[in-house]
Short mmCIF file of all heavy atoms in Angstrom, two decimals:
data_model
loop_
_atom_site.label_atom_id
_atom_site.label_comp_id
_atom_site.label_asym_id
_atom_site.label_seq_id
_atom_site.Cartn_x
_atom_site.Cartn_y
_atom_site.Cartn_z
N MET A 1 17.95 28.90 -29.13
CA MET A 1 16.64 28.31 -28.71
C MET A 1 16.85 26.83 -28.32
O MET A 1 17.60 26.12 -28.98
CB MET A 1 15.67 28.39 -29.90
CG MET A 1 14.25 28.39 -29.48
SD MET A 1 13.74 29.85 -28.61
CE MET A 1 12.00 29.60 -28.49
N ALA A 2 16.19 26.40 -27.28
CA ALA A 2 16.30 25.02 -26.82
C ALA A 2 14.91 24.54 -26.42
O ALA A 2 14.03 25.31 -26.15
CB ALA A 2 17.26 24.91 -25.63
N LYS A 3 14.82 23.22 -26.45
CA LYS A 3 13.58 22.61 -26.03
C LYS A 3 13.83 21.67 -24.88
O LYS A 3 14.76 20.84 -24.96
CB LYS A 3 12.94 21.86 -27.22
CG LYS A 3 11.53 21.32 -26.95
CD LYS A 3 11.05 20.42 -28.05
CE LYS A 3 10.72 21.15 -29.31
NZ LYS A 3 10.27 20.21 -30.37
N ILE A 4 13.05 21.83 -23.83
CA ILE A 4 13.16 20.90 -22.74
C ILE A 4 11.97 19.95 -22.75
O ILE A 4 10.79 20.44 -22.91
CB ILE A 4 13.10 21.67 -21.38
CG1 ILE A 4 14.13 22.80 -21.36
CG2 ILE A 4 13.38 20.69 -20.18
CD1 ILE A 4 13.97 23.72 -20.20
N ILE A 5 12.22 18.67 -22.64
CA ILE A 5 11.13 17.70 -22.72
C ILE A 5 11.19 16.87 -21.46
O ILE A 5 12.28 16.34 -21.09
CB ILE A 5 11.27 16.82 -23.94
CG1 ILE A 5 11.31 17.71 -25.18
CG2 ILE A 5 10.14 15.79 -24.04
CD1 ILE A 5 11.82 16.97 -26.46
N GLN A 6 10.07 16.63 -20.82
CA GLN A 6 9.98 15.73 -19.65
C GLN A 6 9.00 14.64 -19.94
O GLN A 6 7.85 14.87 -20.32
CB GLN A 6 9.54 16.51 -18.42
CG GLN A 6 9.53 15.58 -17.17
CD GLN A 6 8.46 15.94 -16.21
OE1 GLN A 6 7.43 16.49 -16.55
NE2 GLN A 6 8.70 15.64 -14.91
N ASN A 7 9.49 13.42 -19.77
CA ASN A 7 8.56 12.27 -19.82
C ASN A 7 7.85 12.26 -18.43
O ASN A 7 8.37 11.64 -17.52
CB ASN A 7 9.35 10.99 -20.08
CG ASN A 7 8.53 9.75 -19.91
OD1 ASN A 7 7.33 9.83 -19.58
ND2 ASN A 7 9.14 8.61 -20.15
N HIS A 8 6.80 13.00 -18.35
CA HIS A 8 6.19 13.19 -17.03
C HIS A 8 5.71 11.90 -16.39
O HIS A 8 5.80 11.71 -15.19
CB HIS A 8 4.97 14.17 -17.19
CG HIS A 8 4.33 14.52 -15.92
ND1 HIS A 8 4.88 15.41 -15.01
CD2 HIS A 8 3.15 14.08 -15.35
CE1 HIS A 8 4.06 15.49 -13.94
NE2 HIS A 8 3.01 14.72 -14.14
N LYS A 9 5.20 11.03 -17.20
CA LYS A 9 4.68 9.74 -16.73
C LYS A 9 5.65 8.98 -15.91
O LYS A 9 5.34 8.34 -14.92
CB LYS A 9 4.17 8.94 -17.95
CG LYS A 9 3.76 7.51 -17.70
CD LYS A 9 3.21 6.85 -18.95
CE LYS A 9 4.18 6.81 -20.11
NZ LYS A 9 5.31 5.89 -19.96
N ASP A 10 6.89 8.96 -16.32
CA ASP A 10 7.95 8.12 -15.65
C ASP A 10 8.74 8.90 -14.60
O ASP A 10 9.69 8.35 -14.00
CB ASP A 10 8.91 7.59 -16.72
CG ASP A 10 8.24 6.59 -17.59
OD1 ASP A 10 7.20 6.01 -17.18
OD2 ASP A 10 8.74 6.26 -18.72
N CYS A 11 8.37 10.18 -14.32
CA CYS A 11 9.00 10.90 -13.24
C CYS A 11 8.67 10.21 -11.89
O CYS A 11 7.54 9.80 -11.69
CB CYS A 11 8.47 12.32 -13.25
SG CYS A 11 8.88 13.30 -11.76
N ILE A 12 9.64 10.10 -11.03
CA ILE A 12 9.44 9.51 -9.73
C ILE A 12 9.25 10.49 -8.59
O ILE A 12 9.20 10.13 -7.46
CB ILE A 12 10.57 8.49 -9.40
CG1 ILE A 12 11.93 9.21 -9.34
CG2 ILE A 12 10.60 7.30 -10.37
CD1 ILE A 12 13.09 8.35 -8.78
N GLY A 13 9.26 11.78 -8.95
CA GLY A 13 9.00 12.80 -7.96
C GLY A 13 10.05 12.96 -6.92
O GLY A 13 9.80 13.36 -5.81
N CYS A 14 11.30 12.72 -7.30
CA CYS A 14 12.39 12.79 -6.32
C CYS A 14 12.76 14.21 -5.94
O CYS A 14 13.32 14.47 -4.85
CB CYS A 14 13.68 12.15 -6.92
SG CYS A 14 14.48 13.12 -8.23
N GLY A 15 12.39 15.16 -6.76
CA GLY A 15 12.57 16.57 -6.43
C GLY A 15 13.91 17.13 -6.78
O GLY A 15 14.17 18.36 -6.54
N THR A 16 14.76 16.36 -7.34
CA THR A 16 16.13 16.86 -7.70
C THR A 16 16.07 18.07 -8.66
O THR A 16 16.80 19.05 -8.47
CB THR A 16 16.98 15.74 -8.34
OG1 THR A 16 17.03 14.65 -7.43
CG2 THR A 16 18.36 16.19 -8.69
N CYS A 17 15.28 17.98 -9.66
CA CYS A 17 15.17 19.07 -10.63
C CYS A 17 14.67 20.39 -9.98
O CYS A 17 15.04 21.44 -10.31
CB CYS A 17 14.29 18.71 -11.83
SG CYS A 17 12.60 18.17 -11.37
N VAL A 18 13.75 20.20 -9.01
CA VAL A 18 13.19 21.39 -8.31
C VAL A 18 14.28 22.05 -7.47
O VAL A 18 14.38 23.29 -7.44
CB VAL A 18 12.02 20.96 -7.44
CG1 VAL A 18 11.45 22.15 -6.68
CG2 VAL A 18 10.93 20.29 -8.28
N ILE A 19 15.12 21.26 -6.86
CA ILE A 19 16.20 21.84 -6.02
C ILE A 19 17.24 22.50 -6.88
O ILE A 19 17.67 23.58 -6.59
CB ILE A 19 16.88 20.68 -5.20
CG1 ILE A 19 15.90 20.16 -4.14
CG2 ILE A 19 18.14 21.16 -4.54
CD1 ILE A 19 16.32 18.88 -3.46
N LEU A 20 17.58 21.89 -8.04
CA LEU A 20 18.64 22.41 -8.90
C LEU A 20 18.14 23.63 -9.72
O LEU A 20 18.92 24.49 -10.06
CB LEU A 20 19.13 21.36 -9.88
CG LEU A 20 19.94 20.22 -9.24
CD1 LEU A 20 20.22 19.15 -10.32
CD2 LEU A 20 21.22 20.75 -8.63
N CYS A 21 16.83 23.66 -10.07
CA CYS A 21 16.38 24.64 -11.02
C CYS A 21 14.94 25.05 -10.69
O CYS A 21 14.03 24.88 -11.51
CB CYS A 21 16.50 24.03 -12.47
SG CYS A 21 16.45 25.21 -13.76
N PRO A 22 14.71 25.70 -9.54
CA PRO A 22 13.40 25.98 -9.10
C PRO A 22 12.66 27.01 -9.98
O PRO A 22 11.41 27.11 -9.92
CB PRO A 22 13.56 26.50 -7.69
CG PRO A 22 15.00 26.97 -7.64
CD PRO A 22 15.72 26.07 -8.54
N LYS A 23 13.45 27.76 -10.77
CA LYS A 23 12.77 28.73 -11.69
C LYS A 23 11.93 28.02 -12.69
O LYS A 23 10.90 28.54 -13.17
CB LYS A 23 13.89 29.51 -12.38
CG LYS A 23 13.37 30.59 -13.29
CD LYS A 23 14.55 31.38 -13.89
CE LYS A 23 14.05 32.33 -14.98
NZ LYS A 23 15.17 32.94 -15.71
N PHE A 24 12.27 26.80 -13.02
CA PHE A 24 11.58 26.05 -14.09
C PHE A 24 10.77 24.87 -13.63
O PHE A 24 9.90 24.42 -14.34
CB PHE A 24 12.59 25.58 -15.15
CG PHE A 24 13.12 26.69 -16.04
CD1 PHE A 24 14.27 27.36 -15.74
CD2 PHE A 24 12.45 26.99 -17.17
CE1 PHE A 24 14.75 28.35 -16.54
CE2 PHE A 24 12.88 28.02 -18.01
CZ PHE A 24 14.07 28.71 -17.70
N TRP A 25 11.12 24.35 -12.48
CA TRP A 25 10.50 23.06 -12.02
C TRP A 25 9.79 23.21 -10.65
O TRP A 25 10.25 23.92 -9.81
CB TRP A 25 11.56 21.97 -11.91
CG TRP A 25 12.22 21.65 -13.21
CD1 TRP A 25 13.34 22.20 -13.70
CD2 TRP A 25 11.75 20.66 -14.14
NE1 TRP A 25 13.62 21.65 -14.94
CE2 TRP A 25 12.69 20.70 -15.21
CE3 TRP A 25 10.71 19.76 -14.21
CZ2 TRP A 25 12.52 19.89 -16.33
CZ3 TRP A 25 10.55 18.94 -15.30
CH2 TRP A 25 11.48 18.97 -16.34
N GLU A 26 8.66 22.51 -10.54
CA GLU A 26 8.00 22.40 -9.25
C GLU A 26 7.28 21.09 -9.15
O GLU A 26 7.02 20.46 -10.19
CB GLU A 26 6.99 23.57 -9.07
CG GLU A 26 5.83 23.58 -10.05
CD GLU A 26 5.01 24.80 -9.92
OE1 GLU A 26 5.23 25.62 -9.05
OE2 GLU A 26 4.00 24.94 -10.74
N ILE A 27 6.99 20.69 -7.93
CA ILE A 27 6.26 19.45 -7.73
C ILE A 27 4.77 19.72 -7.84
O ILE A 27 4.27 20.67 -7.20
CB ILE A 27 6.60 18.78 -6.39
CG1 ILE A 27 8.08 18.43 -6.29
CG2 ILE A 27 5.70 17.58 -6.12
CD1 ILE A 27 8.53 17.32 -7.21
N SER A 28 4.08 18.93 -8.66
CA SER A 28 2.64 19.14 -8.85
C SER A 28 1.78 18.32 -7.93
O SER A 28 2.31 17.56 -7.10
CB SER A 28 2.29 18.93 -10.30
OG SER A 28 2.43 17.52 -10.60
N ASP A 29 0.53 18.43 -8.04
CA ASP A 29 -0.43 17.73 -7.17
C ASP A 29 -0.29 16.22 -7.26
O ASP A 29 -0.67 15.50 -6.33
CB ASP A 29 -1.89 18.14 -7.45
CG ASP A 29 -2.10 19.63 -7.03
OD1 ASP A 29 -1.31 20.16 -6.29
OD2 ASP A 29 -3.10 20.17 -7.51
N ASP A 30 0.17 15.72 -8.42
CA ASP A 30 0.30 14.28 -8.59
C ASP A 30 1.60 13.77 -7.96
O ASP A 30 1.89 12.53 -8.13
CB ASP A 30 0.12 13.88 -10.05
CG ASP A 30 1.25 14.41 -10.94
OD1 ASP A 30 2.17 15.06 -10.45
OD2 ASP A 30 1.15 14.16 -12.20
N GLY A 31 2.39 14.63 -7.35
CA GLY A 31 3.61 14.19 -6.69
C GLY A 31 4.79 14.10 -7.65
O GLY A 31 5.87 13.72 -7.25
N LYS A 32 4.59 14.44 -8.87
CA LYS A 32 5.68 14.46 -9.86
C LYS A 32 6.04 15.89 -10.23
O LYS A 32 5.25 16.82 -10.03
CB LYS A 32 5.21 13.74 -11.12
CG LYS A 32 4.81 12.29 -10.83
CD LYS A 32 4.43 11.57 -12.11
CE LYS A 32 4.01 10.16 -11.81
NZ LYS A 32 3.96 9.29 -13.04
N ALA A 33 7.25 16.02 -10.80
CA ALA A 33 7.67 17.37 -11.15
C ALA A 33 6.97 17.82 -12.46
O ALA A 33 6.72 17.01 -13.36
CB ALA A 33 9.16 17.39 -11.38
N ILE A 34 6.72 19.10 -12.52
CA ILE A 34 6.28 19.69 -13.78
C ILE A 34 7.18 20.83 -14.15
O ILE A 34 7.80 21.52 -13.33
CB ILE A 34 4.84 20.15 -13.72
CG1 ILE A 34 4.60 21.11 -12.57
CG2 ILE A 34 3.83 18.99 -13.67
CD1 ILE A 34 3.27 21.85 -12.62
N LEU A 35 7.22 21.09 -15.49
CA LEU A 35 7.99 22.13 -16.08
C LEU A 35 7.06 23.34 -16.17
O LEU A 35 6.10 23.28 -16.93
CB LEU A 35 8.45 21.66 -17.42
CG LEU A 35 9.49 22.33 -18.22
CD1 LEU A 35 10.76 22.65 -17.45
CD2 LEU A 35 9.81 21.39 -19.41
N LYS A 36 7.34 24.37 -15.46
CA LYS A 36 6.46 25.52 -15.39
C LYS A 36 6.21 26.15 -16.81
O LYS A 36 7.20 26.39 -17.54
CB LYS A 36 7.02 26.60 -14.50
CG LYS A 36 7.19 26.22 -13.08
CD LYS A 36 7.77 27.30 -12.21
CE LYS A 36 8.19 26.86 -10.84
NZ LYS A 36 8.86 27.92 -10.04
N GLY A 37 4.98 26.32 -17.16
CA GLY A 37 4.63 26.94 -18.42
C GLY A 37 4.74 26.03 -19.66
O GLY A 37 4.57 26.46 -20.81
N ALA A 38 5.00 24.71 -19.41
CA ALA A 38 5.15 23.80 -20.53
C ALA A 38 3.82 23.39 -21.16
O ALA A 38 2.80 23.49 -20.54
CB ALA A 38 5.88 22.52 -20.04
N VAL A 39 3.94 22.93 -22.38
CA VAL A 39 2.78 22.41 -23.13
C VAL A 39 2.74 20.91 -22.96
O VAL A 39 3.79 20.26 -23.00
CB VAL A 39 2.96 22.75 -24.66
CG1 VAL A 39 1.84 22.05 -25.45
CG2 VAL A 39 2.96 24.26 -24.81
N LYS A 40 1.56 20.36 -22.70
CA LYS A 40 1.43 18.92 -22.56
C LYS A 40 1.13 18.29 -23.91
O LYS A 40 0.17 18.69 -24.57
CB LYS A 40 0.31 18.62 -21.59
CG LYS A 40 0.24 17.12 -21.21
CD LYS A 40 -0.73 16.87 -20.06
CE LYS A 40 -0.68 15.44 -19.61
NZ LYS A 40 -1.54 15.21 -18.50
N LYS A 41 1.99 17.38 -24.32
CA LYS A 41 1.80 16.75 -25.62
C LYS A 41 0.80 15.55 -25.52
O LYS A 41 0.50 15.14 -24.43
CB LYS A 41 3.14 16.22 -26.17
CG LYS A 41 4.23 17.27 -26.12
CD LYS A 41 3.89 18.55 -26.85
CE LYS A 41 4.10 18.44 -28.34
NZ LYS A 41 3.91 19.74 -29.01
N GLU A 42 0.39 15.03 -26.64
CA GLU A 42 -0.61 13.95 -26.65
C GLU A 42 -0.04 12.72 -25.89
O GLU A 42 -0.84 11.98 -25.32
CB GLU A 42 -0.93 13.57 -28.10
CG GLU A 42 -2.00 14.45 -28.69
CD GLU A 42 -2.42 14.00 -30.04
OE1 GLU A 42 -2.21 12.82 -30.35
OE2 GLU A 42 -2.98 14.82 -30.82
N ASN A 43 1.23 12.48 -25.95
CA ASN A 43 1.76 11.29 -25.29
C ASN A 43 2.02 11.55 -23.76
O ASN A 43 2.52 10.68 -23.04
CB ASN A 43 3.06 10.86 -25.96
CG ASN A 43 4.19 11.89 -25.86
OD1 ASN A 43 4.02 12.96 -25.25
ND2 ASN A 43 5.32 11.60 -26.43
N GLY A 44 1.63 12.75 -23.32
CA GLY A 44 1.81 13.05 -21.90
C GLY A 44 3.10 13.76 -21.55
O GLY A 44 3.23 14.28 -20.41
N ASP A 45 4.01 13.84 -22.50
CA ASP A 45 5.29 14.57 -22.25
C ASP A 45 4.97 16.04 -22.06
O ASP A 45 4.01 16.61 -22.69
CB ASP A 45 6.25 14.42 -23.41
CG ASP A 45 6.89 13.04 -23.45
OD1 ASP A 45 6.60 12.24 -22.64
OD2 ASP A 45 7.65 12.82 -24.41
N LEU A 46 5.83 16.71 -21.28
CA LEU A 46 5.76 18.19 -21.13
C LEU A 46 6.90 18.78 -21.98
O LEU A 46 8.05 18.30 -21.89
CB LEU A 46 5.89 18.59 -19.72
CG LEU A 46 4.81 18.12 -18.72
CD1 LEU A 46 5.04 18.65 -17.35
CD2 LEU A 46 3.42 18.50 -19.22
N GLU A 47 6.57 19.84 -22.75
CA GLU A 47 7.60 20.50 -23.56
C GLU A 47 7.62 21.99 -23.35
O GLU A 47 6.55 22.62 -23.27
CB GLU A 47 7.32 20.25 -25.06
CG GLU A 47 7.73 18.84 -25.52
CD GLU A 47 7.67 18.73 -27.06
OE1 GLU A 47 7.58 19.76 -27.73
OE2 GLU A 47 7.75 17.59 -27.52
N LEU A 48 8.82 22.55 -23.28
CA LEU A 48 8.93 23.99 -23.13
C LEU A 48 10.09 24.50 -23.98
O LEU A 48 11.19 23.92 -23.92
CB LEU A 48 9.22 24.34 -21.63
CG LEU A 48 9.38 25.83 -21.31
CD1 LEU A 48 8.02 26.55 -21.49
CD2 LEU A 48 9.91 26.00 -19.93
N GLU A 49 9.84 25.50 -24.80
CA GLU A 49 10.90 26.11 -25.59
C GLU A 49 11.41 27.35 -24.82
O GLU A 49 10.65 28.17 -24.38
CB GLU A 49 10.40 26.49 -26.95
CG GLU A 49 10.03 25.27 -27.83
CD GLU A 49 9.97 25.55 -29.29
OE1 GLU A 49 10.10 26.74 -29.66
OE2 GLU A 49 9.82 24.60 -30.04
N ILE A 50 12.72 27.45 -24.69
CA ILE A 50 13.38 28.55 -24.02
C ILE A 50 14.54 29.06 -24.76
O ILE A 50 15.14 28.33 -25.60
CB ILE A 50 13.79 28.14 -22.58
CG1 ILE A 50 14.70 26.94 -22.59
CG2 ILE A 50 12.58 27.90 -21.67
CD1 ILE A 50 15.30 26.61 -21.25
N ASP A 51 14.93 30.30 -24.48
CA ASP A 51 16.10 30.88 -25.17
C ASP A 51 17.38 30.33 -24.60
O ASP A 51 18.39 30.04 -25.32
CB ASP A 51 16.08 32.41 -24.99
CG ASP A 51 14.96 33.05 -25.80
OD1 ASP A 51 14.56 32.44 -26.82
OD2 ASP A 51 14.44 34.09 -25.40
N GLU A 52 17.46 30.28 -23.26
CA GLU A 52 18.70 29.84 -22.61
C GLU A 52 18.44 28.62 -21.72
O GLU A 52 17.49 28.62 -20.91
CB GLU A 52 19.25 31.00 -21.68
CG GLU A 52 19.70 32.20 -22.43
CD GLU A 52 21.09 32.02 -23.07
OE1 GLU A 52 21.85 31.16 -22.55
OE2 GLU A 52 21.33 32.67 -24.05
N ILE A 53 19.23 27.58 -21.89
CA ILE A 53 19.04 26.37 -21.10
C ILE A 53 19.27 26.61 -19.62
O ILE A 53 18.51 26.15 -18.76
CB ILE A 53 20.03 25.27 -21.57
CG1 ILE A 53 19.70 24.87 -22.98
CG2 ILE A 53 19.94 24.04 -20.63
CD1 ILE A 53 20.76 23.94 -23.59
N GLY A 54 20.27 27.42 -19.29
CA GLY A 54 20.55 27.75 -17.91
C GLY A 54 20.71 26.56 -17.02
O GLY A 54 21.36 25.56 -17.36
N CYS A 55 20.06 26.62 -15.85
CA CYS A 55 20.17 25.51 -14.89
C CYS A 55 19.53 24.25 -15.35
O CYS A 55 19.72 23.20 -14.72
CB CYS A 55 19.61 25.96 -13.56
SG CYS A 55 17.90 26.48 -13.64
N ASN A 56 18.79 24.26 -16.45
CA ASN A 56 18.18 22.99 -16.92
C ASN A 56 19.17 22.00 -17.37
O ASN A 56 18.88 20.80 -17.38
CB ASN A 56 17.18 23.32 -18.03
CG ASN A 56 15.88 23.76 -17.46
OD1 ASN A 56 15.19 23.08 -16.74
ND2 ASN A 56 15.52 25.04 -17.73
N LYS A 57 20.35 22.43 -17.78
CA LYS A 57 21.39 21.50 -18.17
C LYS A 57 21.69 20.57 -17.02
O LYS A 57 21.88 19.37 -17.21
CB LYS A 57 22.65 22.26 -18.63
CG LYS A 57 23.74 21.36 -19.08
CD LYS A 57 23.33 20.60 -20.32
CE LYS A 57 24.37 19.49 -20.66
NZ LYS A 57 23.70 18.24 -20.93
N ASP A 58 21.74 21.11 -15.80
CA ASP A 58 22.06 20.31 -14.63
C ASP A 58 20.96 19.27 -14.37
O ASP A 58 21.19 18.20 -13.92
CB ASP A 58 22.24 21.20 -13.42
CG ASP A 58 23.38 22.18 -13.61
OD1 ASP A 58 24.34 21.79 -14.27
OD2 ASP A 58 23.32 23.27 -13.00
N THR A 59 19.67 19.63 -14.66
CA THR A 59 18.58 18.75 -14.38
C THR A 59 18.65 17.51 -15.25
O THR A 59 18.38 16.42 -14.78
CB THR A 59 17.21 19.42 -14.54
OG1 THR A 59 17.01 19.80 -15.88
CG2 THR A 59 17.14 20.66 -13.64
N GLU A 60 19.02 17.71 -16.50
CA GLU A 60 19.10 16.59 -17.44
C GLU A 60 20.10 15.55 -16.92
O GLU A 60 19.83 14.36 -16.94
CB GLU A 60 19.50 17.06 -18.83
CG GLU A 60 19.56 15.95 -19.85
CD GLU A 60 19.98 16.42 -21.25
OE1 GLU A 60 20.81 17.34 -21.33
OE2 GLU A 60 19.47 15.90 -22.26
N ASP A 61 21.23 16.05 -16.50
CA ASP A 61 22.28 15.15 -16.01
C ASP A 61 21.88 14.51 -14.66
O ASP A 61 22.26 13.37 -14.40
CB ASP A 61 23.59 15.93 -15.79
CG ASP A 61 24.17 16.41 -17.09
OD1 ASP A 61 23.81 15.83 -18.14
OD2 ASP A 61 25.01 17.33 -17.12
N ALA A 62 21.19 15.23 -13.83
CA ALA A 62 20.99 14.79 -12.45
C ALA A 62 19.71 13.92 -12.26
O ALA A 62 19.63 13.16 -11.29
CB ALA A 62 20.88 15.98 -11.51
N CYS A 63 18.84 14.00 -13.17
CA CYS A 63 17.56 13.22 -13.00
C CYS A 63 17.86 11.71 -12.92
O CYS A 63 18.46 11.16 -13.84
CB CYS A 63 16.61 13.49 -14.19
SG CYS A 63 15.11 12.48 -14.09
N PRO A 64 17.52 11.05 -11.85
CA PRO A 64 17.95 9.70 -11.62
C PRO A 64 17.30 8.66 -12.61
O PRO A 64 17.81 7.59 -12.76
CB PRO A 64 17.57 9.39 -10.17
CG PRO A 64 16.48 10.36 -9.91
CD PRO A 64 16.78 11.57 -10.70
N VAL A 65 16.17 9.06 -13.17
CA VAL A 65 15.54 8.12 -14.11
C VAL A 65 15.53 8.64 -15.54
O VAL A 65 14.89 8.15 -16.42
CB VAL A 65 14.05 7.83 -13.68
CG1 VAL A 65 14.08 6.92 -12.46
CG2 VAL A 65 13.26 9.13 -13.38
N LYS A 66 16.32 9.70 -15.75
CA LYS A 66 16.62 10.24 -17.07
C LYS A 66 15.35 10.55 -17.90
O LYS A 66 15.19 10.13 -19.01
CB LYS A 66 17.53 9.26 -17.87
CG LYS A 66 18.81 8.97 -17.17
CD LYS A 66 19.67 10.23 -17.13
CE LYS A 66 20.99 10.02 -16.38
NZ LYS A 66 21.60 11.24 -15.87
N VAL A 67 14.42 11.21 -17.27
CA VAL A 67 13.20 11.61 -18.00
C VAL A 67 13.21 13.00 -18.53
O VAL A 67 12.22 13.46 -19.12
CB VAL A 67 11.95 11.38 -17.09
CG1 VAL A 67 11.79 9.93 -16.71
CG2 VAL A 67 11.91 12.27 -15.90
N ILE A 68 14.36 13.73 -18.32
CA ILE A 68 14.49 15.06 -18.84
C ILE A 68 15.45 15.05 -19.99
O ILE A 68 16.57 14.51 -19.91
CB ILE A 68 15.03 16.05 -17.76
CG1 ILE A 68 14.05 16.08 -16.59
CG2 ILE A 68 15.24 17.47 -18.35
CD1 ILE A 68 14.60 16.83 -15.38
N LYS A 69 15.00 15.64 -21.12
CA LYS A 69 15.86 15.70 -22.31
C LYS A 69 15.89 17.16 -22.77
O LYS A 69 14.88 17.85 -22.77
CB LYS A 69 15.25 14.87 -23.46
CG LYS A 69 15.19 13.38 -23.17
CD LYS A 69 16.37 12.66 -23.79
CE LYS A 69 16.32 11.15 -23.59
NZ LYS A 69 16.28 10.73 -22.21
N ILE A 70 17.03 17.58 -23.21
CA ILE A 70 17.21 18.92 -23.77
C ILE A 70 17.70 18.82 -25.18
O ILE A 70 18.70 18.08 -25.49
CB ILE A 70 18.18 19.72 -22.92
CG1 ILE A 70 17.63 19.91 -21.51
CG2 ILE A 70 18.37 21.14 -23.58
CD1 ILE A 70 18.51 20.62 -20.55
N GLU A 71 16.94 19.45 -26.10
CA GLU A 71 17.30 19.32 -27.52
C GLU A 71 17.70 20.75 -28.03
O GLU A 71 17.20 21.72 -27.59
CB GLU A 71 16.10 18.88 -28.33
CG GLU A 71 15.71 17.46 -27.98
CD GLU A 71 14.50 16.99 -28.83
OE1 GLU A 71 13.88 17.85 -29.51
OE2 GLU A 71 14.22 15.83 -28.84
S1 LIG B 1 14.76 14.85 -11.25
FE1 LIG B 1 13.62 13.56 -12.74
S2 LIG B 1 12.56 12.00 -11.50
FE2 LIG B 1 13.23 13.63 -10.12
S3 LIG B 1 11.44 14.96 -9.93
FE3 LIG B 1 12.73 15.78 -11.56
S4 LIG B 1 11.93 14.88 -13.46
FE4 LIG B 1 11.15 13.70 -11.72
#
Protein backbone atom coordinates (compact mmCIF):
# COMPACT_ATOMS: atom_id res chain seq x y z
CA MET A 1 0.00 0.00 0.00
CA ALA A 2 1.26 3.48 -0.83
CA LYS A 3 0.00 7.00 -0.41
CA ILE A 4 0.41 9.70 -3.04
CA ILE A 5 0.21 13.25 -1.79
CA GLN A 6 0.11 16.37 -3.93
CA ASN A 7 0.55 19.87 -2.60
CA HIS A 8 -2.06 21.09 -5.04
CA LYS A 9 -1.69 24.76 -4.12
CA ASP A 10 1.93 24.91 -5.27
CA CYS A 11 1.45 22.94 -8.51
CA ILE A 12 2.46 25.08 -11.50
CA GLY A 13 0.41 23.09 -14.00
CA CYS A 14 3.38 22.07 -16.15
CA GLY A 15 1.65 18.82 -17.14
CA THR A 16 4.65 16.56 -16.64
CA CYS A 17 2.79 14.21 -14.30
CA VAL A 18 -0.10 13.96 -16.77
CA ILE A 19 2.26 12.98 -19.59
CA LEU A 20 4.12 10.43 -17.47
CA CYS A 21 1.15 8.93 -15.67
CA PRO A 22 -2.19 9.80 -17.31
CA LYS A 23 -3.97 6.96 -15.54
CA PHE A 24 -3.66 8.91 -12.30
CA TRP A 25 -3.22 12.57 -13.25
CA GLU A 26 -5.14 15.14 -15.24
CA ILE A 27 -5.22 18.92 -15.55
CA SER A 28 -8.23 20.40 -13.79
CA ASP A 29 -10.23 23.55 -14.45
CA ASP A 30 -7.91 25.63 -12.29
CA GLY A 31 -5.01 24.81 -14.63
CA LYS A 32 -3.27 22.61 -12.07
CA ALA A 33 -2.90 18.85 -12.00
CA ILE A 34 -5.20 16.72 -9.91
CA LEU A 35 -4.84 13.18 -8.74
CA LYS A 36 -7.87 11.27 -10.00
CA GLY A 37 -10.05 9.95 -7.19
CA ALA A 38 -8.01 11.63 -4.46
CA VAL A 39 -9.36 13.00 -1.21
CA LYS A 40 -8.84 16.71 -0.55
CA LYS A 41 -7.40 17.35 2.89
CA GLU A 42 -8.08 20.40 5.06
CA ASN A 43 -4.77 21.98 4.04
CA GLY A 44 -5.68 21.62 0.36
CA ASP A 45 -3.39 18.67 -0.34
CA LEU A 46 -4.75 15.80 -2.42
CA GLU A 47 -4.19 12.27 -1.12
CA LEU A 48 -4.76 8.90 -2.73
CA GLU A 49 -4.03 5.46 -1.34
CA ILE A 50 -3.11 2.83 -3.94
CA ASP A 51 -1.81 -0.73 -3.97
CA GLU A 52 0.91 -0.21 -6.56
CA ILE A 53 2.87 3.00 -7.09
CA GLY A 54 3.42 2.19 -10.76
CA CYS A 55 4.11 5.21 -12.93
CA ASN A 56 3.63 7.55 -9.98
CA LYS A 57 7.21 6.93 -8.94
CA ASP A 58 8.29 8.77 -12.07
CA THR A 59 6.03 11.72 -11.29
CA GLU A 60 7.58 12.28 -7.87
CA ASP A 61 11.04 12.48 -9.43
CA ALA A 62 10.00 14.55 -12.44
CA CYS A 63 7.79 17.21 -10.88
CA PRO A 64 9.84 20.41 -11.27
CA VAL A 65 8.51 21.99 -8.09
CA LYS A 66 8.51 18.79 -6.04
CA VAL A 67 4.89 18.93 -4.94
CA ILE A 68 4.33 15.18 -5.33
CA LYS A 69 5.29 12.90 -2.46
CA ILE A 70 4.95 9.15 -2.20
CA GLU A 71 4.91 7.50 1.21
S1 LIG B 1 4.49 17.71 -12.48
FE1 LIG B 1 4.17 18.82 -10.55
S2 LIG B 1 3.98 20.98 -11.11
FE2 LIG B 1 3.74 19.78 -12.98
S3 LIG B 1 1.52 19.55 -13.19
FE3 LIG B 1 2.28 17.74 -12.10
S4 LIG B 1 2.08 18.22 -9.91
FE4 LIG B 1 1.92 20.15 -11.06
